[in-house]
Amino acid sequence: AQSVTQLGSHVSVSEGALVLLRCNYSSSVPPYLFWYVQYPNQGLQLLLKYTSAATLVKGINGFEAEFKKSETSFHLTKPSAHMSDAAEYFCAVSGAPTSGTYKYIFGTGTRLKVLA
Amino acid sequence: DAGVIQSPRHEVTEMGQEVTLRCKPISGHNSLFWYRQTMMRGLELLIYFNNNVPIDDSGMPEDRFSAKMPNASFSTLKIQPSEPRDSAVYFCASRVSGNTIYFGEGSWLTVV
């Protein structure tokens, strides 16, 4: 079984400040982990993914995330927030292809607000 | 490259009417997913197909919902009869085996 927990449904940061969005996962098989972003009235867009290679993953728009197996975490960070980063962010877990687990399980999302 | 294409983008319908949502996955992708997004429950996986075959439909809320994938380039999600509580955004997503899933822009459904 797999699950994802995103801590904090709403996060506010000042423009230029560090962004930290938290994600913890549970998985009975080696996980693949993803962060997606959703802008208003749009679909979900992939930010970055972890697929058992490097534990520090860099994505688009300056975001990165680090896979920490010991902490079962995959937190999303960005050194300096920009107004355009305001959106909803979703963490997701899936099994590796060889696990036979096809499902993507999404967290409940974290809405990021960037203050001028 | 064309992404996942969904239609209609917006639909308003009366309670009791049949609703059909359509999806064209990315060419070459062999898995297709239907998700529903609401404020109360977030993103819920309704059903997914692999090579046009339904693998898991445990997320389909009830018998009023049905999904088909007659070929690799087309899928439908049907609600009959529709109810106000079905109002949500319905996303279709597709994936090449083992890799990232790509979402469509969603179909905004309002049942009045």
Side-chain angles (χ1 to χ4, degrees):
Chain A
Q2 296 176 306
S3 66
V4 169
T5 301
Q6 290 185 240
L7 297 175
S9 59
H10 292 80
V11 171
S12 294
V13 299
S14 299
E15 191 174 20
L18 171 72
V19 176
L20 171 60
L21 304 182
R22 299 178 187 274
C23 173
N24 288 90
Y25 71 90
S26 172
S27 180
S28 56
V29 299
Y32 278 15
L33 293 157
F34 307 81
W35 276 100
Y36 283 81
V37 60
Q38 185 179 31
Y39 297 103
N41 300 320
Q42 294 188 23
L44 279 73
Q45 178 184 356
L46 179 70
L47 271 180
L48 50 80
K49 63 181 178 181
Y50 165 78
T51 58
S52 74
T55 56
L56 182 62
V57 181
K58 294 186 184 298
I60 62 171
N61 301 339
F63 284 93
E64 63 181 38
E66 186 172 8
F67 171 70
K68 291 187 177 181
K69 185 177 180 181
S70 61
E71 299 177 9
T72 61
S73 69
F74 190 59
H75 302 330
L76 181 71
T77 61
K78 182 174 180 178
S80 177
H82 192 272
M83 297 298 288
S84 61
D85 295 327
E88 189 152 19
Y89 292 80
F90 293 89
C91 182
V93 63
S94 175
T98 53
S99 71
T101 303
Y102 294 92
K103 290 185 182 183
Y104 271 54
I105 304 300
F106 283 85
T108 51
T110 298
R111 189 170 297 276
L112 177 66
K113 186 175 182 179
V114 182
L115 307 172
Chain B
D1 289 339
V4 175
I5 299 172
Q6 292 187 244
S7 65
R9 288 297 313 278
H10 298 274
E11 175 141 353
V12 181
T13 191
E14 291 186 349
M15 182 174 62
Q17 296 297 306
E18 177 179 294
V19 174
T20 299
L21 308 178
R22 298 173 178 80
C23 176
K24 177 178 169 56
I26 295 172
S27 177
H29 283 196
N30 61 352
S31 293
L32 183 140
F33 304 78
W34 282 101
Y35 285 88
R36 178 172 68 177
Q37 185 177 36
T38 61
M39 290 291 290
M40 293 298 294
R41 290 195 292 270
L43 265 170
E44 302 173 276
L45 176 63
L46 300 177
I47 185 171
Y48 73 87
F49 296 84
N50 199 47
N51 294 322
N52 311 338
V53 176
I55 301 299
D56 186 341
D57 64 356
S58 60
M60 296 286 263
E62 48 198 275
D63 291 346
R64 297 185 297 107
F65 286 70
S66 62
K68 294 182 180 179
M69 191 165 186
N71 57 61
S73 59
F74 184 67
S75 176
T76 59
L77 178 67
K78 187 174 292 186
I79 309 171
Q80 166 65 18
S82 58
E83 297 182 2
R85 60 194 168 115
D86 301 330
S87 298
V89 184
Y90 291 83
F91 287 103
C92 177
S94 70
R95 180 181 71 180
V96 170
S97 181
N99 285 315
T100 307
I101 59 173
Y102 294 89
F103 283 80
E105 293 291 302
S107 291
W108 266 250
L109 174 65
T110 302
V111 183
V112 298

